[in-house]
Amino acid sequence: MRVFVFHLCLADLVVAFFQVCPQLMWDITDRFIGPDLLCRFVKYMQIVGMFSSTYMIVVMTIDRYQAICNPMVTFQRGRARLNIPVCVAWAISLVGSIPQIFIFSRVQVAPGVFDCWAEFIKPWGLKTYVTWTTLVIFVLPVFTLIVCQVRICRAIQINLYTKTHQEGESAVTNAPASRASSVVGVSKARIKTVKMTVVIVLAYIICWAPFFTVQLWSVWDANAPTENATFTILMLLASLNSCANPCIYLLFSGQLPKRLVMLLCRNQSKLKHSIPDEGTMVSSLYTSFKIASESR
């Protein structure tokens, strides 16, 4: 699970540095400043971030489905050097974003004015592009996520029901309950990761659903209020998903928030007496992170 979360964080960093930051500078300068190669690269990496963040959540949910619904198959896989689902998610992201290189280019939008722009076949080119993007980045992944989560919840419900009856029978026959209690402990650990996955999936749907809804509305309805402030806010809401994922993992990590709170409280009490050395603060923060990781 840590491998999936690590790569999900990498995907979110791609969104931050190659989607949000270039778009922010683009909005400040009003025009894209840079050569044609940079224009194509930025547009390519923007879709790579969307693909990777989405499909990393998909493969993570499928992995939780395998661990809960087919545990014996998961244990018999053995330990491989490469995480195949993670490689598949990155491969889909890198390959699926290739059309961006040919769609966008540095074009002249006015006499002497150049911008990074897309050229679509009229009148159906733009509609096809937005609809296809919505299908492969939102609709199909959400359908897969919902199916997996429903089956996971169903399997957990059956599992807990069976274990409850086993514990009841053990209590009646006075049988040793060490085996049952250890199984329950493993189930609680798995349920915790499933809960985190569910929250990540919900955050993804909440953040991306308005974005794709607005995109489809703007291309299929000629009277759509694209200049409305509400439209702009809903489109920007999608980027918040990359901020939400690390926060969700932080909340579900258990020991790490406690260590951070203890560290902040301790540093605050020291500030009342003297100003702590900056190197000491960095060292304390690194030690706290390391202790939290080892305790897990």
Side-chain angles (χ1 to χ4, degrees):
M1 193 63 182
R2 291 181 181 178
V3 175
F4 286 109
V5 173
F6 171 75
H7 284 273
L8 179 60
C9 290
L10 288 181
D12 291 331
L13 288 175
V14 172
V15 174
F17 288 107
F18 293 101
Q19 181 174 343
V20 177
C21 290
Q23 192 65 42
L24 178 62
M25 291 186 289
W26 194 347
D27 292 338
I28 292 175
T29 58
D30 191 47
R31 297 295 179 186
F32 185 87
I33 300 176
D36 180 71
L37 183 63
L38 182 61
C39 165
R40 297 174 188 268
F41 176 76
V42 168
K43 283 299 180 180
Y44 173 75
M45 293 303 298
Q46 285 182 341
I47 298 297
V48 167
M50 295 173 64
F51 263 105
S52 59
S53 181
T54 299
Y55 280 91
M56 207 60 66
I57 296 175
V58 172
V59 296
M60 182 170 61
T61 304
I62 294 176
D63 179 79
R64 289 301 88 200
Y65 167 76
Q66 290 289 339
I68 298 297
C69 300
N70 301 308
M72 298 307 298
V73 176
T74 305
F75 294 148
Q76 291 173 1
R77 278 188 207 159
R79 194 169 185 178
R81 292 185 178 181
L82 294 177
N83 192 309
I84 302 300
V86 169
C87 294
V88 170
W90 282 112
I92 292 175
S93 305
L94 296 173
V95 174
S97 304
I98 291 178
Q100 289 287 107
I101 300 176
F102 304 99
I103 294 175
F104 286 88
S105 62
R106 186 173 181 265
V107 298
Q108 186 173 358
V109 295
V113 179
F114 293 87
D115 202 350
C116 187
W117 212 253
E119 295 182 351
F120 297 101
I121 301 175
K122 296 181 180 181
W124 52 267
L126 181 59
K127 295 179 180 179
T128 304
Y129 171 77
V130 174
T131 304
W132 170 253
T133 304
T134 305
L135 182 65
V136 297
I137 298 183
F138 185 74
V139 177
L140 291 179
V142 167
F143 177 78
T144 305
L145 294 174
I146 292 175
V147 170
C148 289
Q149 291 295 349
V150 169
R151 293 188 176 183
I152 288 172
C153 294
R154 179 60 179 167
I156 291 176
Q157 182 182 8
I158 296 174
N159 193 15
L160 293 177
Y161 178 80
T162 304
K163 286 191 172 90
T164 302
H165 279 267
Q166 288 179 351
E167 289 181 352
E169 292 175 0
S170 299
V172 172
T173 58
N174 295 324
S178 59
R179 177 180 174 85
S181 61
S182 64
V183 174
V184 172
V186 173
S187 297
K188 288 182 179 179
R190 287 185 180 178
I191 290 173
K192 183 179 180 180
T193 61
V194 170
K195 288 181 179 179
M196 184 180 71
T197 309
V198 170
V199 175
I200 290 176
V201 170
L202 290 177
Y204 169 78
I205 295 175
I206 292 173
C207 291
W208 282 102
F211 172 80
F212 285 108
T213 302
V214 167
Q215 289 279 0
L216 290 173
W217 187 8
S218 62
V219 298
W220 285 99
D221 185 4
N223 299 321
T226 55
E227 301 298 330
N228 195 321
T230 305
F231 246 62
T232 306
I233 293 174
L234 291 177
M235 294 182 67
L236 293 175
L237 185 63
S239 301
L240 293 179
N241 183 58
S242 297
C243 302
N245 290 334
C247 296
I248 293 170
Y249 179 64
L250 183 67
L251 293 175
F252 277 90
S253 61
Q255 291 293 328
L256 188 56
K258 296 179 182 178
R259 297 284 182 178
L260 287 175
V261 171
M262 292 173 58
L263 179 65
L264 292 175
C265 294
R266 184 171 57 189
N267 288 338
Q268 187 175 3
S269 62
K270 287 183 179 180
L271 281 173
K272 295 180 180 179
H273 304 285
S274 61
I275 300 176
D277 182 66
E278 184 179 0
T280 306
M281 292 181 65
V282 174
S283 177
S284 300
L285 184 61
Y286 171 77
T287 305
S288 177
F289 270 79
K290 186 176 180 181
I291 292 174
S293 301
E294 292 176 352
S295 65
R296 295 180 57 214

